[in-house]
Amino acid sequence: MAKIVFLGTANAVATENHDNTHLLILNEHRAVLVDCAGSPVPRLVRAGIQPDQLSDLLLTHFHPDHVAGAPLLLMDLWLLGRTRPLTVHGLEHTISRFKAMMDLYEWRRWPDFFPIQFNIIPEKEFSPIIDDADLQLWSSPVRHLLPTIAIRIEIPSGGASVAYSTDTEPCDEMVRLARGVDILIHEASGASMGHSSVEQAAEVAAKSGARSLALVHYPANINADELIKAASGKFSGPVRFARDFEEIDLKS
């Protein structure tokens, strides 16, 4: 078993049935939550994941729609009786602000709180995050409004390869990180500083040689059919909009 579960696919403005973009990377040994929006525990349970299965929290950058759920996640895990450590990965810029945010909640005074282990990711291309026999993750800095990382996911035993852009303008770093992946998961907020349009995401997919494109972090009022048609003019592979609770099988 190895899969990605989209717990949310919306841009910064979520709706009742469309949560902010965050996702879970799951295999037999790890459950890695990538970003932490809203109230994560009910989303995990709805996806069939027990909260204590979480092994890692990876924060791509410190914007509210990507980190606002982290204090509630940690508190809920504590109240549910977690005792084993949780590893939190991120750039120094992100982790320092994460700690400051948690200090506002006086988390160091929560009795019998489970251990948190921090992994500071260097702000350089192809920085290793996880290197297991059955799961490998790397990150590269991308171009957003503050320090931000995209990630590449590999299943060493011949499974699918995936790159996830998080929030970024089109950039060469993203193209290199996504080189030859089976699936590029790319944001589609719209062309603006620090973000990408559907057409720009499709161009990144074409330049990187990705085999397919899944779009996330998009507005609620999109016309999916029109935008997929527009993306298909830039990228010849399959294009789709990912939906909340959709799953991607990572085993070939």
Side-chain angles (χ1 to χ4, degrees), residues 39 41-42 47 59 76 86 94 110 115 140 158 163 165 171 201 205 214 219 243:
S39 183
V41 165
L59 300 174
D76 285 353
L86 178 73
T94 305
W110 297 355
S140 288
S165 71
C171 61
R243 305 294 180 181

Side-chain angles (χ1 to χ4, degrees), residues 189-207:
S189 304
S192 64
M193 183 179 295
H195 289 289
S196 300
S197 68
V198 168
E199 294 88 348
Q200 288 173 323
E203 289 176 347
V204 172
K207 289 178 180 178

Side-chain angles (χ1 to χ4, degrees), residues 180-242:
V181 295
D182 296 297
I183 305 164
L184 171 59
I185 302 169
H186 203 290
E187 72 119 303
S189 304
S192 64
M193 183 179 295
H195 289 289
S196 300
S197 68
V198 168
E199 294 88 348
Q200 288 173 323
E203 289 176 347
V204 172
K207 289 178 180 178
S208 67
R211 293 178 176 84
S212 65
L213 174 62
L215 298 164
V216 295
H217 206 277
Y218 51 83
N221 61 349
I222 61 161
N223 184 316
D225 291 338
E226 286 186 5
L227 290 174
I228 288 174
K229 183 178 179 180
S232 296
K234 305 288 186 181
F235 175 61
S236 61
V239 181
R240 72 182 189 278
F241 283 88

Side-chain angles (χ1 to χ4, degrees), residues 114-186:
F114 58 90
I116 300 291
Q117 299 170 344
F118 290 102
N119 175 32
I120 305 297
I121 301 170
E123 197 171 346
K124 62 181 182 180
E125 289 192 63
F126 287 91
S127 293
I129 304 172
I130 292 172
D131 187 9
D132 290 348
D134 54 0
L135 177 64
Q136 296 176 343
L137 267 64
W138 296 270
S139 73
S140 288
V142 287
R143 299 182 192 176
H144 192 40
L145 305 177
L146 44 68
T148 300
I149 49 172
I151 62 171
R152 182 180 177 116
I153 306 155
E154 295 271 3
I155 306 301
S157 58
S161 55
V162 180
Y164 169 47
S165 71
T166 192
D167 294 7
T168 184
E169 299 173 16
C171 61
D172 291 340
E173 292 89 345
M174 189 65 235
V175 171
R176 289 190 288 267
L177 186 68
R179 186 75 67 196
V181 295
D182 296 297
I183 305 164
L184 171 59
I185 302 169
H186 203 290

Side-chain angles (χ1 to χ4, degrees), residues 6-22 37-38 43 46 188 215-222 241-245:
F6 293 101
L7 299 179
T9 52
N11 65 359
V13 183
T15 64
E16 181 180 1
N17 298 309
H18 193 201
D19 204 3
N20 301 123
T21 295
H22 58 307
R43 309 287 290 185
R46 180 174 167 182
L215 298 164
V216 295
H217 206 277
Y218 51 83
N221 61 349
I222 61 161
F241 283 88
R243 305 294 180 181
D244 290 26
F245 298 106

Side-chain angles (χ1 to χ4, degrees), residues 90-109:
L91 297 171
E92 191 282 331
H93 180 276
T94 305
I95 295 299
S96 64
R97 285 155 180 77
F98 171 85
K99 291 178 179 178
M101 175 175 65
M102 292 304 303
D103 285 343
L104 293 174
Y105 295 102
E106 299 185 354
W107 65 318
R108 301 178 197 279
R109 298 178 60 185

